[in-house]
Amino acid sequence: MKLWDIIKSANSNLLRNKGRTFLTILAIFIGSFTIILTSGIRTGVNDYIDVQLNSVGGEGYIEIMPKAMTEIMSSQMSLGSSSGPQEYNPDKNSLEMTAISDSDLKKLRNIDGIESVKPSQQISAEYIVSSKNKTKFVVTPQALPSDRINLDIATGRLIDINGDRPEINILPGYAEALGFGSDEGAVGQTVRIGVVETATMKTREVEATVAGVMNKSIINMGRSWVNVALEGKILDVMYTNLPDSYRDRVYFATAEWDTSLGDEGLKRIKDDMEKLGYVGMTFEDQVGMFKTFLDAIILVFTIFGGVALLAASIGIINTLFMAVQERTREIGLSKAMGLGRGKIFLMFSVEAIALGFWGSALGIGMAYLARAIVNPIASDTFLKDLPGFNLLQFDLKWLAGLVLLVMMIAFLAGTLPARRAAKKDPIEALRYE
């Protein structure tokens, strides 16, 4: 009996009890479909993030902050800590102790592979307003730290980072809100940014030119990017009537490193920073934290799919045991005609594998149907502000691997009933009623 004949026979035998076979395949389908969907969401999100990172660039750019500060922030952000509130320790909890000193800046610059290090000031603003509309809107300005970073500009151009003219790239939606009518109409227009004097708490306004309007992006995180000239004007207002020591105190820095060193070089640079008490993070590292959180959620749903597959494997065992019971005389007749134990075992194993194949294949088919329905709906509704974001994306190699995995699970589940069929005594089987 040839393998192809065994495969055709196995699929025909599955149709002897259509109801039982359908329920078994349905159980496999539920598990496979759940795993495929969760994987598709993960792939879709990661692909979108990767596209965003590629568009931003940032190769050779790294952000630096004191390790002690990251520990303070982590402890403050932790939820449900069993340790409870921590006692204040000025040596550990004071932000003054975690400011970056001039000597440390020199040490960071001396790290092999670092091309430049620039202290980064934290700027803040109360609002943004224009002469076209007196309504004030909340704004979060952020100085663009490096010319190696590209912003996803919808209209206009990227700010001239080191230009003498104060410039800003505003977020989408601000152009119309500020009264410019359209993104194109906002380019080249003057806006006023309200900044609070730290010493007096009075608000003063500084002017800036809109260089361009950005597309929505997870990289922007609600920030409007400004150049060095505008950053300086904002800092001048913030530290009016305060000693220079306040303005000179920095808690963050940015660096550029030699990308020819590769991943190993980057790892060594980060290790050298850590020895000095600092943490270095690239854009990929920052987004990687989000990916880790997403992967944890996806893992939970994948486990649910795995549990469904485990239940389905029990169904396969039950289905084949009943098939062996119903076909006892047929097994005896086949053995009497010279069919060996190996062929009998193979026949029932192929039936189990067929159950796994059809269940996983149905899961893939339904997943592609779900993608065709969900992606357009998502793009027109809750993802409409994120162009190019396809919620469900499938990796064909991964799907093929999943089918093989499910077929392997089905084979293992069918081993026990297949062995039972192979061991049957032909004489006793022929006497079976």
Side-chain angles (χ1 to χ4, degrees):
M1 196 173 187
K2 296 181 181 179
L3 179 60
W4 178 245
D5 294 328
I6 292 176
I7 294 174
K8 289 195 296 182
S9 175
N11 282 279
S12 298
N13 290 331
L14 291 177
L15 297 177
R16 291 188 178 190
N17 193 318
K18 296 182 180 62
R20 188 169 64 211
T21 299
F22 171 77
L23 292 175
T24 305
I25 290 177
L26 180 63
I28 299 171
F29 155 74
I30 292 173
S32 302
F33 183 67
T34 303
I35 294 174
I36 293 168
L37 276 191
T38 53
S39 174
I41 293 173
R42 180 179 181 275
T43 302
V45 173
N46 286 343
D47 283 354
Y48 179 73
I49 291 174
D50 290 341
V51 169
Q52 292 286 306
L53 284 174
N54 291 334
S55 65
V56 169
E59 291 82 4
Y61 166 78
I62 188 169
E63 294 183 0
I64 307 169
M65 66 186 301
K67 187 176 180 182
M69 180 173 285
T70 62
E71 292 173 351
I72 292 172
M73 292 170 62
S74 297
S75 65
Q76 291 175 346
M77 293 175 64
S78 61
L79 300 177
S81 174
S82 59
S83 60
Q86 296 182 354
E87 184 178 349
Y88 172 74
N89 184 332
D91 294 329
K92 293 183 178 180
N93 301 103
S94 173
L95 291 181
E96 289 224 19
M97 298 301 296
T98 59
I100 303 178
S101 65
D102 290 337
S103 61
D104 280 353
L105 285 173
K106 292 179 180 178
K107 292 177 182 178
L108 290 168
R109 291 188 181 103
N110 289 331
I111 293 176
D112 185 27
I114 290 292
E115 297 178 343
S116 65
V117 175
K118 182 173 69 174
S120 179
Q121 293 281 2
Q122 188 67 36
I123 60 175
S124 63
E126 292 295 295
Y127 61 82
I128 186 171
V129 69
S130 77
S131 58
K132 303 285 186 179
N133 186 351
K134 294 183 178 181
T135 305
K136 300 173 181 178
F137 298 93
V138 175
V139 66
T140 304
Q142 178 78 38
L144 194 64
S146 172
D147 57 8
R148 297 189 180 188
I149 298 174
N150 300 313
L151 300 179
D152 187 9
I153 303 296
T155 304
R157 60 172 174 82
L158 182 68
I159 53 176
D160 183 359
I161 295 180
N162 297 311
D164 297 330
R165 185 181 182 184
E167 293 182 339
I168 184 172
N169 285 134
I170 59 176
L171 291 166
Y174 273 71
E176 185 174 350
L178 291 169
F180 298 127
S182 65
D183 291 348
E184 292 79 5
V187 176
Q189 297 290 337
T190 299
V191 293
R192 303 190 308 277
I193 299 172
V195 184
V196 173
E197 293 182 1
T198 306
T200 63
M201 299 305 293
K202 292 182 180 179
T203 301
R204 288 167 50 193
E205 293 182 346
V206 296
E207 291 187 346
T209 300
V210 178
V213 181
M214 297 178 288
N215 283 314
K216 281 202 172 181
S217 166
I218 59 172
I219 303 297
N220 293 331
M221 296 181 182
R223 296 172 291 189
S224 294
W225 298 91
V226 305
N227 65 351
V228 173
L230 182 52
E231 177 191 25
K233 282 184 170 292
I234 292 174
L235 288 172
D236 287 342
V237 175
M238 290 175 61
Y239 294 111
T240 300
N241 298 323
L242 288 176
D244 291 341
S245 59
Y246 279 84
R247 179 164 177 166
D248 294 338
R249 186 182 303 147
V250 295
Y251 302 103
F252 305 92
T254 61
E256 294 178 353
W257 58 282
D258 184 1
T259 55
S260 66
L261 298 175
D263 292 339
E264 288 297 322
L266 177 59
K267 183 179 183 302
R268 179 186 51 76
I269 289 172
K270 289 180 180 179
D271 291 340
D272 290 343
M273 287 181 177
E274 191 168 357
K275 291 175 184 177
L276 295 175
Y278 293 91
V279 174
M281 297 185 70
T282 62
F283 272 137
E284 290 82 355
D285 294 330
Q286 296 175 40
V287 175
M289 293 187 294
F290 173 74
K291 285 187 176 181
T292 300
F293 175 72
L294 173 68
D295 288 344
I297 297 175
I298 295 297
L299 178 61
V300 173
F301 289 100
T302 303
I303 290 174
F304 285 135
V307 171
L309 284 179
L310 178 61
S313 66
I314 297 173
I316 292 172
I317 294 173
N318 179 65
T319 296
L320 292 184
F321 263 134
M322 295 182 69
V324 170
Q325 192 75 11
E326 292 171 354
R327 289 152 54 189
T328 299
R329 287 177 61 85
E330 180 183 326
I331 294 170
L333 182 60
S334 297
K335 282 195 167 187
M337 294 177 65
L339 206 61
R341 285 189 175 187
K343 287 292 180 70
I344 297 293
F345 178 86
L346 182 61
M347 285 172 56
F348 282 91
S349 295
V350 171
E351 287 187 35
I353 293 172
L355 287 170
F357 172 78
W358 290 117
S360 56
L362 181 61
I364 291 174
M366 291 301 294
Y368 270 91
L369 178 61
R371 187 184 72 169
I373 296 173
V374 171
N375 279 355
I377 295 176
S379 298
D380 293 338
T381 53
F382 60 93
L383 295 180
K384 64 181 180 180
D385 293 327
L386 299 174
F389 190 171
N390 292 315
L391 185 61
L392 289 175
Q393 291 282 14
F394 302 124
D395 184 340
L396 292 178
K397 292 182 179 179
W398 190 92
L399 292 178
L402 176 65
V403 172
L404 293 176
L405 176 62
V406 174
M407 290 169 65
M408 178 61 70
I409 293 173
F411 167 74
L412 294 175
T415 299
L416 191 59
R419 286 183 61 192
R420 181 174 178 179
K423 287 183 176 181
K424 281 191 173 293
D425 182 86
I427 297 175
E428 293 297 328
L430 287 170
R431 290 176 179 174
Y432 181 81
E433 295 294 338

